[in-house]
Coordinates of all heavy atoms in Angstrom, one line a residue:
N122 N -29.2 -19.5 -4.1 CA -29.6 -19.0 -2.8 C -28.4 -19.2 -1.8 O -27.7 -20.2 -1.9 CB -30.8 -19.7 -2.2 CG -31.2 -19.2 -0.8 OD1 -30.8 -19.8 0.2 ND2 -31.8 -18.1 -0.8
L123 N -28.3 -18.3 -0.8 CA -27.2 -18.4 0.1 C -27.7 -19.2 1.4 O -28.3 -18.6 2.3 CB -26.7 -17.0 0.6 CG -25.8 -16.2 -0.4 CD1 -25.5 -14.9 0.1 CD2 -24.6 -17.0 -0.8
F124 N -27.4 -20.5 1.4 CA -27.6 -21.3 2.5 C -29.0 -21.3 3.1 O -29.1 -21.2 4.4 CB -26.5 -20.9 3.6 CG -25.1 -20.9 3.1 CD1 -24.5 -19.6 3.0 CD2 -24.4 -21.9 2.6 CE1 -23.2 -19.5 2.5 CE2 -23.2 -21.8 2.1 CZ -22.5 -20.6 2.1
G125 N -29.9 -21.2 2.3 CA -31.3 -21.3 2.8 C -31.8 -19.9 3.4 O -32.9 -19.9 4.1
T126 N -31.0 -18.9 3.2 CA -31.4 -17.6 3.8 C -32.3 -16.8 2.8 O -32.6 -17.3 1.8 CB -30.2 -16.7 4.2 OG1 -29.5 -16.4 2.9 CG2 -29.3 -17.5 5.1
Q127 N -32.6 -15.6 3.1 CA -33.4 -14.7 2.3 C -32.5 -14.0 1.2 O -33.0 -13.3 0.4 CB -34.1 -13.6 3.0 CG -33.1 -12.7 3.9 CD -33.8 -11.6 4.6 OE1 -35.0 -11.3 4.3 NE2 -33.2 -11.0 5.6
W128 N -31.2 -14.3 1.3 CA -30.2 -13.6 0.4 C -29.9 -14.6 -0.8 O -29.8 -15.7 -0.7 CB -28.9 -13.3 1.1 CG -29.1 -12.4 2.3 CD1 -29.1 -12.9 3.6 CD2 -29.5 -11.1 2.3 NE1 -29.4 -11.8 4.5 CE2 -29.6 -10.7 3.7 CE3 -29.7 -10.1 1.4 CZ2 -30.0 -9.4 4.1 CZ3 -30.1 -8.9 1.8 CH2 -30.2 -8.5 3.1
N129 N -29.9 -14.0 -2.0 CA -29.5 -14.7 -3.2 C -28.3 -14.0 -4.0 O -28.1 -12.8 -3.8 CB -30.8 -14.7 -4.1 CG -31.9 -15.3 -3.5 OD1 -31.9 -16.5 -3.1 ND2 -33.0 -14.6 -3.3
V130 N -27.6 -14.9 -4.6 CA -26.6 -14.4 -5.5 C -27.2 -14.3 -6.9 O -27.7 -15.4 -7.5 CB -25.3 -15.3 -5.6 CG1 -24.4 -14.9 -6.7 CG2 -24.6 -15.4 -4.2
R131 N -27.1 -13.1 -7.6 CA -27.8 -13.0 -8.8 C -26.7 -12.8 -9.9 O -25.5 -12.7 -9.7 CB -28.7 -11.7 -8.8 CG -29.8 -11.8 -7.8 CD -30.6 -10.6 -7.7 NE -31.6 -10.7 -6.6 CZ -32.8 -11.2 -6.7 NH1 -33.2 -11.7 -7.8 NH2 -33.6 -11.3 -5.6
W132 N -27.2 -12.8 -11.2 CA -26.3 -12.9 -12.3 C -25.4 -11.6 -12.4 O -24.3 -11.6 -12.8 CB -27.0 -13.2 -13.5 CG -27.4 -14.6 -13.7 CD1 -28.6 -15.1 -13.5 CD2 -26.6 -15.6 -14.2 NE1 -28.6 -16.5 -13.8 CE2 -27.3 -16.9 -14.2 CE3 -25.2 -15.7 -14.6 CZ2 -26.8 -18.1 -14.6 CZ3 -24.7 -17.0 -14.9 CH2 -25.5 -18.1 -14.9
Y133 N -26.0 -10.5 -11.9 CA -25.2 -9.3 -12.0 C -24.0 -9.3 -11.1 O -23.1 -8.6 -11.3 CB -26.1 -8.0 -11.9 CG -26.6 -7.8 -10.4 CD1 -25.9 -7.2 -9.5 CD2 -28.0 -8.1 -10.2 CE1 -26.4 -6.9 -8.3 CE2 -28.5 -7.9 -9.0 CZ -27.7 -7.3 -7.9 OH -28.2 -7.0 -6.7

Side-chain angles (χ1 to χ4, degrees):
N122 178 262
L123 286 178
F124 313 110
T126 66
Q127 60 178 339
W128 306 104
N129 299 302
V130 174
R131 300 178 185 272
W132 283 100
Y133 69 84

